[in-house]
Amino acid sequence: MNILVTGGAGYIGTHTIVALISNGHSVVVIDNLINSSRESLRRVEEITDTTIPFYEADLRDYDTLGGIFNEHPIDAVIHFAGLKAVGESTENPARYYRFNVGSTLNLLKIMNEYNVKKLVFSSSATVYGSAPVPYVESHPAGRDITSPYGKTKYMIEEILSDVAMSDSSIEFTSLRYFNPIGAHESGRIGENPTGTPNNLMPYITQVATKQRESLRIWGDDYDTVDGTGVRDYIHVSDLASGHLAALTHSKPGYHVYNLGSGKGTSVLELLRAFEVSTGQKIPYEIAPRRPGDLPEFYADVHLANSELNWQTTKTVEDACRDSWRWQSENPNGYEQ
Ligand code: NAD
Ligand code: UDP
């Protein structure tokens, strides 16, 4: 297939492109580089030994989208592009709706114009709000979502569902990611947050490189295995293979799948796994709970296992080793 990858220069996009090309697909990428760099795609080209057609453009620019669809026969779209900082979305909600929802509407319009029926969308476990664990796709989403970011994901899911209902040949899939960590085993591509990382794994790796002094663990008084927050960490390469599975699975309509490992891991458990698998000691201190954090969530992955014939193959330890390889070999990310 010839696949348009929006946001393909980002963390999950780059890893997915490697999986797509390794499985014989061709890609075209659009990314405005608002949260990424050209270098990430250059490294994907190096890993895959290909040249990737790249458009440095904003998805909200309809004319550029038209030019891309005109120039390339697109069979399907994987839609990663979007803003993803939860805190920032609370400070500037309108920007998040413009970027995330607005971009998606543009994309749907051009897909309709060029008769492209297949789309895979990056959704998030955040659309469940505070649901019972494990999170199952059949649980009603959309209630209790704590951030505008999460609401944009839910709104986009609703839009995709409505559009899919209007045309029986459409195949739209939302993949609800849990917590992606890890990096490509080459150490050449990985997560590259700007400024102070909000997420746990990049914070840990930056403490390991001594760019940050110590990890603050946000709360050790939750009702969890050891009091610290529990999440479902999934290796980004497993997440990438989930996109491949969703893309090659042919089923008209609108479908939703969780992509997680199906297992909960606490902050202290992840920390220990990192220390054991990399030999790096991570100093930490216990701090008050982070506002808005849920104590515990992890995925039920039976649906993706059975319908997409997809399984994770990597452990949390693999992810720790790969994250560390990436961070230690590229302490400044893609900046040399
Ligand atoms: P990322 O920021 O690394 O990648 C997103 C890419 O989209 C970036 O390269 C950015 O420059 C680009 N982009 C943003 N707005 C754009 C626009 N209007 N036009 C063109 N390009 C634009 O993020 P990621 O971690 O790779 O996440 C990819 C997707 O998965 C996002 O939609 C994110 O919300 C979603 N997601 C991520 C996580 C996570 O923990 N990383 C979890 C759940 C869902
Ligand atoms: N966390 C932490 N210190 C940090 C970053 C995260 O203790 O510097 C905890 C956080 O409270 C949560 C878990 O690590 O329990 C995962 O946080 P992350 O932000 O990576 O994912 P999310 O909470 O958005 O699922």
Side-chain angles (χ1 to χ4, degrees), residues 93-322:
R95 182 164 182 258
Y96 270 66
Y97 291 112
R98 268 199 315 278
F99 264 80
N100 293 2
V101 183
S103 294
T104 307
L105 290 173
N106 248 2
L107 189 60
L108 290 171
K109 186 170 175 217
I110 198 80
M111 286 174 67
N112 183 47
E113 200 172 309
Y114 282 82
N115 220 18
V116 177
K117 306 282 188 178
K118 203 170 176 84
L119 174 82
V120 177
F121 169 62
S122 301
S123 190
S124 163
T126 191
V127 301
Y128 287 110
S130 53
V133 288
Y135 287 5
V136 191
E137 290 87 345
S138 56
H139 184 83
R143 302 177 187 162
D144 256 3
I145 301 177
T146 47
S147 71
Y149 163 72
K151 288 181 189 165
T152 67
K153 292 293 180 195
Y154 178 66
M155 285 178 188
I156 294 169
E157 284 203 11
E158 290 289 284
I159 293 168
L160 296 181
S161 166
D162 286 345
V163 173
M165 250 185 287
S166 72
D167 175 347
S168 61
S169 60
I170 276 178
E171 295 180 12
F172 285 176
T173 304
S174 287
L175 300 177
R176 293 180 179 160
Y177 308 161
F178 282 68
N179 291 59
I181 58 170
H184 190 258
E185 58 191 11
S186 64
R188 298 294 289 156
I189 55 173
E191 189 172 9
N192 186 30
T194 39
T196 309
N198 285 314
N199 293 117
L200 181 58
M201 182 56 93
Y203 206 102
I204 290 177
T205 56
Q206 291 193 10
V207 172
T209 54
K210 305 206 165 26
Q211 286 161 285
R212 315 214 168 257
E213 222 168 275
S214 77
L215 172 72
R216 266 170 301 164
I217 295 182
W218 306 124
D220 69 347
D221 56 352
Y222 288 110
D223 184 16
T224 59
V225 60
D226 54 24
T228 64
V230 167
R231 297 291 182 269
D232 182 338
Y233 297 98
I234 173 169
H235 195 294
V236 65
S237 297
D238 282 330
L239 197 61
S241 73
H243 290 75
L244 201 63
L247 197 72
T248 46
H249 177 73
S250 196
K251 190 172 169 189
Y254 174 66
H255 307 283
V256 172
Y257 299 98
N258 288 339
L259 291 186
S261 70
K263 286 192 283 283
T265 303
S266 75
V267 177
L268 282 172
E269 285 170 340
L270 188 71
L271 203 62
R272 276 189 216 112
F274 187 86
E275 291 186 338
V276 168
S277 53
T278 66
Q280 300 297 313
K281 188 101 195 93
I282 306 297
Y284 69 86
E285 62 207 71
I286 304 295
R289 292 179 178 191
R290 184 169 65 176
D293 265 2
L294 291 170
E296 169 170 59
F297 62 83
Y298 49 92
D300 181 312
V301 286
H302 288 96
L303 196 64
N305 291 166
S306 59
E307 287 202 5
L308 300 182
N309 197 19
W310 168 86
Q311 241 109 28
T312 55
T313 59
K314 297 194 181 251
T315 62
V316 155
E317 287 75 15
D318 294 330
C320 289
R321 264 189 298 275
D322 290 340

Side-chain angles (χ1 to χ4, degrees), residues 82-93:
L83 302 179
K84 63 165 187 177
V86 173
E88 187 188 67
S89 79
T90 310
E91 286 151 29
N92 199 345

